């Protein structure tokens, strides 16, 4: 999730655990710091664009590593504020602040390696977008109330914010499962035998969902809004680059992307260069993570490091279009 959301969640958890045992501003401040720490791995350069992507949310987001870090952070906090008697409570607070960060990240589609260093599997529920104010605002309101209201009412507001935001995550999973069933039925009705199906929300909401269905040779993209008047989905068809995948499947960077994206990737060649695209984040024809793997010669000689070649849509036109589609307005193009 975005930094503001992680700060808000960390602060809310810190305040909830510490209560009035210490000043609310201390719990909120250290909750915000603890909620930010795991994402500092974004500043580590692993040598190339693909490694930087696939090594993000790795050890710094691992439950085992963060569990080890919690007492260290708690010791620092309790000593800084002269609250050694509260060390165990700070330990519990910092542990919950730290581990709720990767657990929340797991709700997005990116991929979080919770079990490092024992496994590099990237867990991803994909039921919420990386920025969603419906999740974040209750947390912010609750923390602000806890800081401004010195009575138990402030803590109650903070607890309510945590409950509402957690319920929203539950709603997102339920909505995702419903849309998954709709998409599967639509694929079956169209006679499409998809190997894998991705169902993830479009930006900033959980009403309009983006769908990606893959076969060995192609992928289909579709959208479904909970406000649509029909469960039938219009799919657009795109080549995955099956011949290129077969030809270069032993390429280490390609294999890494295949594993990290759970198979939701495509391969293309332009002007002699090989490109791999993560199909999970973005939409046709704009994808956040598209990498240039270099030419055959560069890859053979080892003289090329993958570079990011992604693109983003123009928000001035994309956001109104997203809102229009969210309301159940279907595009005029026929099903493919």
């Amino acid at each position: 999730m975005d930094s503001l959301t992680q700060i808000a969640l960390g602060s809310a958890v810190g305040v909830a655990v510490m209560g009035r045992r210490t000043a609310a501003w201390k719990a909120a401040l250290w909750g915000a710091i603890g909620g930010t720490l795991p994402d500092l791995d974004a500043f580590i350069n692993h040598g190339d664009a693909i490694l930087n992507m696939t090594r993000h949310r790795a050890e710094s987001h691992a439950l085992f590593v963060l569990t080890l870090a919690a007492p260290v952070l708690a010791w620092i906090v309790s000593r800084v504020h002269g609250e050694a008697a509260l060390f165990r409570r700070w330990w519990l607070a910092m542990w919950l602040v730290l581990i709720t960060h990767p657990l929340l990240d797991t709700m997005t589609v990116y991929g979080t390696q919770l079990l490092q260093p024992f496994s590099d599997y990237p867990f991803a529920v994909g039921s919420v977008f990386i920025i969603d104010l419906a999740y974040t605002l209750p947390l912010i309101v609750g923390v602000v109330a806890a800081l401004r209201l010195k009575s138990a009412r402030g803590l109650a507001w903070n607890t309510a914010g945590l409950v509402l935001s957690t319920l929203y995550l539950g709603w997102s999973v339920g909505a995702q499962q419903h849309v998954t069933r709709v998409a599967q039925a639509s694929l079956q009705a169209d006679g499409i035998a998809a190997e894998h199906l991705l169902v993830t929300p479009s930006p900033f909401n959980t009403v309009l969902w983006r769908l990606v269905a893959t076969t060995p040779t192609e992928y289909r993209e579709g959208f479904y809004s909970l406000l649509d008047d029909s469960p039938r989905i219009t799919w657009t068809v795109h080549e995955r680059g099956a011949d290129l995948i077969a030809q270069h499947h032993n390429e280490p960077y390609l294999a890494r992307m295949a594993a990290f994206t759970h198979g939701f990737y495509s391969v293309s060649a332009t002007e002699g260069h090989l490109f791999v695209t993560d199909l999970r984040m973005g939409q046709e024809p704009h994808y956040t993570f598209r990498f240039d793997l270099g030419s055959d010669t560069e890859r053979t000689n080892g003289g090329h490091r993958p570079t990011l070649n992604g693109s983003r849509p123009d928000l001035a036109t994309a956001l109104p279009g997203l809102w229009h589609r969210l309301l159940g307005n279907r595009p005029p193009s026929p099903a493919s």
Side-chain angles (χ1 to χ4, degrees):
M1 297 293 284
D2 65 287
S3 297
L4 175 61
T5 299
Q6 292 291 8
I7 287 171
L9 175 61
S11 294
V13 170
V15 169
V17 176
M18 295 307 297
R20 295 303 181 191
R21 296 172 181 82
T22 189
W25 70 265
K26 296 178 185 178
L29 172 64
W30 286 103
I33 292 173
T36 301
L37 286 177
D39 277 344
L40 295 182
D41 70 334
F43 294 101
I44 300 174
N45 185 356
H46 295 280
D48 64 67
I50 286 183
L51 286 178
N52 287 341
M53 177 197 176
T54 58
R55 295 302 300 160
H56 178 45
R57 298 191 184 178
E59 286 85 0
S60 69
H61 287 60
L63 300 180
F64 175 74
V65 174
L66 293 177
T67 296
L68 295 180
V72 177
L73 184 57
W75 184 87
I76 293 173
V77 174
S78 62
R79 293 309 185 273
V80 165
H81 296 294
E83 297 178 344
L86 292 176
F87 167 70
R88 290 192 177 183
R89 196 70 184 187
W90 276 115
W91 185 350
L92 175 62
M94 291 300 97
W95 179 69
L96 287 172
V97 165
L98 289 173
I99 67 165
T100 51
H101 178 121
L103 292 178
L104 178 58
D105 277 346
T106 301
M107 301 302 294
T108 70
V109 77
Y110 188 94
T112 306
Q113 298 171 47
L114 297 175
L115 300 183
Q116 284 280 5
F118 311 108
S119 170
D120 59 2
Y121 183 84
F123 292 89
V125 176
S127 65
V128 291
F129 189 67
I130 191 172
I131 300 173
D132 193 327
L133 291 179
Y135 176 82
T136 307
L137 283 178
L139 296 173
I140 295 176
V141 170
V143 170
V144 171
L147 293 173
R148 293 182 64 88
L149 302 175
K150 303 305 181 183
S151 65
R153 287 179 57 212
L155 295 180
W157 274 84
N158 184 70
T159 300
L162 280 168
V163 170
L164 286 174
S165 62
T166 303
L167 288 175
Y168 183 72
L169 292 181
W171 148 261
S172 74
V173 172
Q176 183 188 45
Q177 293 303 308
H178 167 69
V179 176
T180 297
R181 291 190 291 270
V182 171
Q184 289 171 337
S186 181
L187 288 168
Q188 184 176 13
D190 291 339
I192 302 169
E195 288 185 324
H196 304 288
L197 174 64
L198 176 71
V199 178
T200 190
S202 61
F204 318 126
N205 75 100
T206 52
V207 176
L208 177 61
W209 295 76
R210 176 175 176 262
L211 319 169
V212 179
T214 64
T215 71
T217 60
E218 60 193 20
Y219 63 94
R220 285 171 163 79
E221 181 185 59
F223 291 87
Y224 179 76
S225 171
L226 298 179
L227 302 179
D228 282 352
D229 57 5
S230 168
R232 201 65 179 266
I233 295 168
T234 299
W235 303 92
T236 59
V237 185
H238 309 275
E239 294 296 320
R240 285 191 65 197
D243 292 340
L244 291 172
I245 292 175
Q247 181 181 351
H248 300 285
H249 68 278
N250 289 325
E251 164 68 43
Y253 286 111
L254 191 58
R256 177 178 284 272
M257 286 295 294
F260 191 76
T261 64
H262 301 289
F264 291 100
Y265 71 101
S266 67
V267 179
S268 60
T270 304
E271 296 180 352
H273 280 232
L274 191 67
F275 292 85
V276 58
T277 300
D278 184 341
L279 300 175
R280 302 171 304 158
M281 287 168 276
Q283 67 183 66
E284 285 296 325
H286 302 286
Y287 288 98
T288 306
F289 295 105
R290 181 174 184 262
F291 299 97
D292 181 355
L293 303 185
S295 66
D296 288 342
T297 301
E298 288 171 331
R299 293 196 309 279
T300 300
N301 296 335
H304 180 82
R305 291 285 189 175
T307 56
L308 182 62
N309 193 247
S311 66
R312 299 177 185 272
D314 177 20
L315 291 181
T317 57
L319 289 180
L322 181 148
W323 178 252
H324 183 76
R325 182 64 188 88
L326 181 150
L327 293 176
N329 300 296
R330 293 177 177 271
S333 56
S336 54

PDB file of all heavy atoms in Angstrom, residues 130-151:
ATOM      1  N   ILE A 130      -3.450  -0.238  -4.638  1.00  0.00           N
ATOM      2  CA  ILE A 130      -2.383   0.260  -3.770  1.00  0.00           C
ATOM      3  C   ILE A 130      -2.777   1.549  -3.053  1.00  0.00           C
ATOM      4  O   ILE A 130      -2.270   1.861  -1.979  1.00  0.00           O
ATOM      5  CB  ILE A 130      -1.083   0.452  -4.583  1.00  0.00           C
ATOM      6  CG1 ILE A 130       0.092   0.710  -3.640  1.00  0.00           C
ATOM      7  CG2 ILE A 130      -1.232   1.559  -5.610  1.00  0.00           C
ATOM      8  CD1 ILE A 130       1.436   0.725  -4.338  1.00  0.00           C
ATOM      9  N   ILE A 131      -3.700   2.325  -3.634  1.00  0.00           N
ATOM     10  CA  ILE A 131      -4.234   3.525  -2.990  1.00  0.00           C
ATOM     11  C   ILE A 131      -5.753   3.404  -2.982  1.00  0.00           C
ATOM     12  O   ILE A 131      -6.366   3.283  -4.034  1.00  0.00           O
ATOM     13  CB  ILE A 131      -3.827   4.809  -3.741  1.00  0.00           C
ATOM     14  CG1 ILE A 131      -2.312   4.953  -3.789  1.00  0.00           C
ATOM     15  CG2 ILE A 131      -4.449   6.039  -3.083  1.00  0.00           C
ATOM     16  CD1 ILE A 131      -1.845   6.121  -4.655  1.00  0.00           C
ATOM     17  N   ASP A 132      -6.337   3.423  -1.803  1.00  0.00           N
ATOM     18  CA  ASP A 132      -7.799   3.333  -1.699  1.00  0.00           C
ATOM     19  C   ASP A 132      -8.232   4.120  -0.463  1.00  0.00           C
ATOM     20  O   ASP A 132      -8.056   3.665   0.673  1.00  0.00           O
ATOM     21  CB  ASP A 132      -8.248   1.879  -1.600  1.00  0.00           C
ATOM     22  CG  ASP A 132      -9.746   1.725  -1.816  1.00  0.00           C
ATOM     23  OD1 ASP A 132     -10.489   2.639  -1.438  1.00  0.00           O
ATOM     24  OD2 ASP A 132     -10.167   0.677  -2.366  1.00  0.00           O
ATOM     25  N   LEU A 133      -8.799   5.296  -0.680  1.00  0.00           N
ATOM     26  CA  LEU A 133      -9.177   6.178   0.421  1.00  0.00           C
ATOM     27  C   LEU A 133     -10.268   5.571   1.302  1.00  0.00           C
ATOM     28  O   LEU A 133     -10.373   5.918   2.485  1.00  0.00           O
ATOM     29  CB  LEU A 133      -9.627   7.533  -0.119  1.00  0.00           C
ATOM     30  CG  LEU A 133      -8.523   8.398  -0.737  1.00  0.00           C
ATOM     31  CD1 LEU A 133      -9.109   9.703  -1.254  1.00  0.00           C
ATOM     32  CD2 LEU A 133      -7.410   8.669   0.265  1.00  0.00           C
ATOM     33  N   ALA A 134     -11.065   4.683   0.742  1.00  0.00           N
ATOM     34  CA  ALA A 134     -12.107   4.047   1.550  1.00  0.00           C
ATOM     35  C   ALA A 134     -11.483   3.227   2.677  1.00  0.00           C
ATOM     36  O   ALA A 134     -12.101   3.044   3.733  1.00  0.00           O
ATOM     37  CB  ALA A 134     -12.993   3.163   0.677  1.00  0.00           C
ATOM     38  N   TYR A 135     -10.265   2.730   2.467  1.00  0.00           N
ATOM     39  CA  TYR A 135      -9.546   2.024   3.531  1.00  0.00           C
ATOM     40  C   TYR A 135      -8.801   3.002   4.430  1.00  0.00           C
ATOM     41  O   TYR A 135      -8.804   2.862   5.660  1.00  0.00           O
ATOM     42  CB  TYR A 135      -8.546   1.024   2.935  1.00  0.00           C
ATOM     43  CG  TYR A 135      -7.717   0.342   4.002  1.00  0.00           C
ATOM     44  CD1 TYR A 135      -8.219  -0.746   4.702  1.00  0.00           C
ATOM     45  CD2 TYR A 135      -6.455   0.814   4.347  1.00  0.00           C
ATOM     46  CE1 TYR A 135      -7.486  -1.360   5.710  1.00  0.00           C
ATOM     47  CE2 TYR A 135      -5.706   0.208   5.349  1.00  0.00           C
ATOM     48  CZ  TYR A 135      -6.227  -0.872   6.024  1.00  0.00           C
ATOM     49  OH  TYR A 135      -5.509  -1.467   7.034  1.00  0.00           O
ATOM     50  N   THR A 136      -8.167   4.002   3.849  1.00  0.00           N
ATOM     51  CA  THR A 136      -7.252   4.868   4.584  1.00  0.00           C
ATOM     52  C   THR A 136      -7.956   5.906   5.451  1.00  0.00           C
ATOM     53  O   THR A 136      -7.534   6.175   6.577  1.00  0.00           O
ATOM     54  CB  THR A 136      -6.311   5.582   3.595  1.00  0.00           C
ATOM     55  OG1 THR A 136      -5.683   4.611   2.752  1.00  0.00           O
ATOM     56  CG2 THR A 136      -5.242   6.361   4.331  1.00  0.00           C
ATOM     57  N   LEU A 137      -9.035   6.509   4.954  1.00  0.00           N
ATOM     58  CA  LEU A 137      -9.669   7.610   5.677  1.00  0.00           C
ATOM     59  C   LEU A 137     -10.164   7.229   7.079  1.00  0.00           C
ATOM     60  O   LEU A 137      -9.976   8.019   8.026  1.00  0.00           O
ATOM     61  CB  LEU A 137     -10.818   8.186   4.848  1.00  0.00           C
ATOM     62  CG  LEU A 137     -10.388   9.100   3.694  1.00  0.00           C
ATOM     63  CD1 LEU A 137     -11.608   9.584   2.913  1.00  0.00           C
ATOM     64  CD2 LEU A 137      -9.592  10.301   4.216  1.00  0.00           C
ATOM     65  N   PRO A 138     -10.799   6.074   7.279  1.00  0.00           N
ATOM     66  CA  PRO A 138     -11.204   5.726   8.651  1.00  0.00           C
ATOM     67  C   PRO A 138     -10.022   5.663   9.618  1.00  0.00           C
ATOM     68  O   PRO A 138     -10.156   6.055  10.787  1.00  0.00           O
ATOM     69  CB  PRO A 138     -11.867   4.353   8.490  1.00  0.00           C
ATOM     70  CG  PRO A 138     -12.336   4.330   7.076  1.00  0.00           C
ATOM     71  CD  PRO A 138     -11.297   5.076   6.302  1.00  0.00           C
ATOM     72  N   LEU A 139      -8.875   5.200   9.145  1.00  0.00           N
ATOM     73  CA  LEU A 139      -7.691   5.136   9.996  1.00  0.00           C
ATOM     74  C   LEU A 139      -7.227   6.540  10.382  1.00  0.00           C
ATOM     75  O   LEU A 139      -6.913   6.802  11.549  1.00  0.00           O
ATOM     76  CB  LEU A 139      -6.559   4.401   9.272  1.00  0.00           C
ATOM     77  CG  LEU A 139      -6.795   2.931   8.943  1.00  0.00           C
ATOM     78  CD1 LEU A 139      -5.669   2.397   8.070  1.00  0.00           C
ATOM     79  CD2 LEU A 139      -6.903   2.112  10.226  1.00  0.00           C
ATOM     80  N   ILE A 140      -7.183   7.433   9.398  1.00  0.00           N
ATOM     81  CA  ILE A 140      -6.737   8.801   9.668  1.00  0.00           C
ATOM     82  C   ILE A 140      -7.684   9.493  10.647  1.00  0.00           C
ATOM     83  O   ILE A 140      -7.241  10.136  11.611  1.00  0.00           O
ATOM     84  CB  ILE A 140      -6.633   9.601   8.361  1.00  0.00           C
ATOM     85  CG1 ILE A 140      -5.532   9.007   7.471  1.00  0.00           C
ATOM     86  CG2 ILE A 140      -6.353  11.070   8.641  1.00  0.00           C
ATOM     87  CD1 ILE A 140      -5.423   9.665   6.112  1.00  0.00           C
ATOM     88  N   VAL A 141      -8.979   9.371  10.410  1.00  0.00           N
ATOM     89  CA  VAL A 141      -9.965   9.997  11.298  1.00  0.00           C
ATOM     90  C   VAL A 141      -9.824   9.456  12.716  1.00  0.00           C
ATOM     91  O   VAL A 141      -9.857  10.214  13.708  1.00  0.00           O
ATOM     92  CB  VAL A 141     -11.399   9.771  10.779  1.00  0.00           C
ATOM     93  CG1 VAL A 141     -12.427  10.209  11.811  1.00  0.00           C
ATOM     94  CG2 VAL A 141     -11.606  10.520   9.466  1.00  0.00           C
ATOM     95  N   GLY A 142      -9.631   8.150  12.851  1.00  0.00           N
ATOM     96  CA  GLY A 142      -9.502   7.548  14.177  1.00  0.00           C
ATOM     97  C   GLY A 142      -8.271   8.023  14.912  1.00  0.00           C
ATOM     98  O   GLY A 142      -8.321   8.330  16.111  1.00  0.00           O
ATOM     99  N   VAL A 143      -7.141   8.104  14.225  1.00  0.00           N
ATOM    100  CA  VAL A 143      -5.901   8.550  14.861  1.00  0.00           C
ATOM    101  C   VAL A 143      -6.003  10.019  15.268  1.00  0.00           C
ATOM    102  O   VAL A 143      -5.603  10.403  16.376  1.00  0.00           O
ATOM    103  CB  VAL A 143      -4.698   8.331  13.925  1.00  0.00           C
ATOM    104  CG1 VAL A 143      -3.444   9.005  14.484  1.00  0.00           C
ATOM    105  CG2 VAL A 143      -4.433   6.847  13.728  1.00  0.00           C
ATOM    106  N   VAL A 144      -6.533  10.854  14.385  1.00  0.00           N
ATOM    107  CA  VAL A 144      -6.693  12.274  14.708  1.00  0.00           C
ATOM    108  C   VAL A 144      -7.590  12.450  15.917  1.00  0.00           C
ATOM    109  O   VAL A 144      -7.314  13.263  16.819  1.00  0.00           O
ATOM    110  CB  VAL A 144      -7.247  13.048  13.493  1.00  0.00           C
ATOM    111  CG1 VAL A 144      -7.628  14.470  13.888  1.00  0.00           C
ATOM    112  CG2 VAL A 144      -6.222  13.077  12.370  1.00  0.00           C
ATOM    113  N   ALA A 145      -8.663  11.681  15.992  1.00  0.00           N
ATOM    114  CA  ALA A 145      -9.569  11.760  17.139  1.00  0.00           C
ATOM    115  C   ALA A 145      -8.860  11.349  18.423  1.00  0.00           C
ATOM    116  O   ALA A 145      -9.040  11.974  19.477  1.00  0.00           O
ATOM    117  CB  ALA A 145     -10.797  10.885  16.898  1.00  0.00           C
ATOM    118  N   ALA A 146      -8.043  10.298  18.346  1.00  0.00           N
ATOM    119  CA  ALA A 146      -7.307   9.841  19.529  1.00  0.00           C
ATOM    120  C   ALA A 146      -6.314  10.890  20.007  1.00  0.00           C
ATOM    121  O   ALA A 146      -6.068  11.021  21.220  1.00  0.00           O
ATOM    122  CB  ALA A 146      -6.590   8.536  19.220  1.00  0.00           C
ATOM    123  N   LEU A 147      -5.743  11.644  19.088  1.00  0.00           N
ATOM    124  CA  LEU A 147      -4.784  12.689  19.459  1.00  0.00           C
ATOM    125  C   LEU A 147      -5.476  13.924  20.027  1.00  0.00           C
ATOM    126  O   LEU A 147      -4.919  14.604  20.901  1.00  0.00           O
ATOM    127  CB  LEU A 147      -3.946  13.079  18.234  1.00  0.00           C
ATOM    128  CG  LEU A 147      -2.995  12.013  17.693  1.00  0.00           C
ATOM    129  CD1 LEU A 147      -2.355  12.465  16.392  1.00  0.00           C
ATOM    130  CD2 LEU A 147      -1.925  11.674  18.726  1.00  0.00           C
ATOM    131  N   ARG A 148      -6.667  14.223  19.556  1.00  0.00           N
ATOM    132  CA  ARG A 148      -7.356  15.447  19.970  1.00  0.00           C
ATOM    133  C   ARG A 148      -8.245  15.240  21.197  1.00  0.00           C
ATOM    134  O   ARG A 148      -8.417  16.162  22.002  1.00  0.00           O
ATOM    135  CB  ARG A 148      -8.184  15.993  18.815  1.00  0.00           C
ATOM    136  CG  ARG A 148      -7.345  16.496  17.638  1.00  0.00           C
ATOM    137  CD  ARG A 148      -8.231  17.059  16.542  1.00  0.00           C
ATOM    138  NE  ARG A 148      -8.950  18.237  17.005  1.00  0.00           N
ATOM    139  CZ  ARG A 148      -8.492  19.479  16.939  1.00  0.00           C
ATOM    140  NH1 ARG A 148      -7.286  19.720  16.441  1.00  0.00           N
ATOM    141  NH2 ARG A 148      -9.230  20.503  17.365  1.00  0.00           N
ATOM    142  N   LEU A 149      -8.831  14.071  21.319  1.00  0.00           N
ATOM    143  CA  LEU A 149      -9.726  13.793  22.434  1.00  0.00           C
ATOM    144  C   LEU A 149      -8.979  13.002  23.499  1.00  0.00           C
ATOM    145  O   LEU A 149      -8.536  11.882  23.250  1.00  0.00           O
ATOM    146  CB  LEU A 149     -10.948  12.992  21.956  1.00  0.00           C
ATOM    147  CG  LEU A 149     -11.791  13.639  20.850  1.00  0.00           C
ATOM    148  CD1 LEU A 149     -12.880  12.678  20.394  1.00  0.00           C
ATOM    149  CD2 LEU A 149     -12.392  14.959  21.327  1.00  0.00           C
ATOM    150  N   LYS A 150      -8.821  13.572  24.647  1.00  0.00           N
ATOM    151  CA  LYS A 150      -8.021  12.939  25.698  1.00  0.00           C
ATOM    152  C   LYS A 150      -8.806  11.887  26.477  1.00  0.00           C
ATOM    153  O   LYS A 150      -8.227  11.106  27.225  1.00  0.00           O
ATOM    154  CB  LYS A 150      -7.502  14.009  26.668  1.00  0.00           C
ATOM    155  CG  LYS A 150      -6.685  15.108  26.000  1.00  0.00           C
ATOM    156  CD  LYS A 150      -5.520  14.529  25.201  1.00  0.00           C
ATOM    157  CE  LYS A 150      -4.700  15.641  24.547  1.00  0.00           C
ATOM    158  NZ  LYS A 150      -3.614  15.089  23.712  1.00  0.00           N
ATOM    159  N   SER A 151     -10.105  11.854  26.295  1.00  0.00           N
ATOM    160  CA  SER A 151     -10.923  10.880  27.014  1.00  0.00           C
ATOM    161  C   SER A 151     -10.919   9.544  26.271  1.00  0.00           C
ATOM    162  O   SER A 151     -10.275   9.375  25.239  1.00  0.00           O
ATOM    163  CB  SER A 151     -12.357  11.397  27.138  1.00  0.00           C
ATOM    164  OG  SER A 151     -12.943  11.505  25.844  1.00  0.00           O
TER     165      SER A 151
END
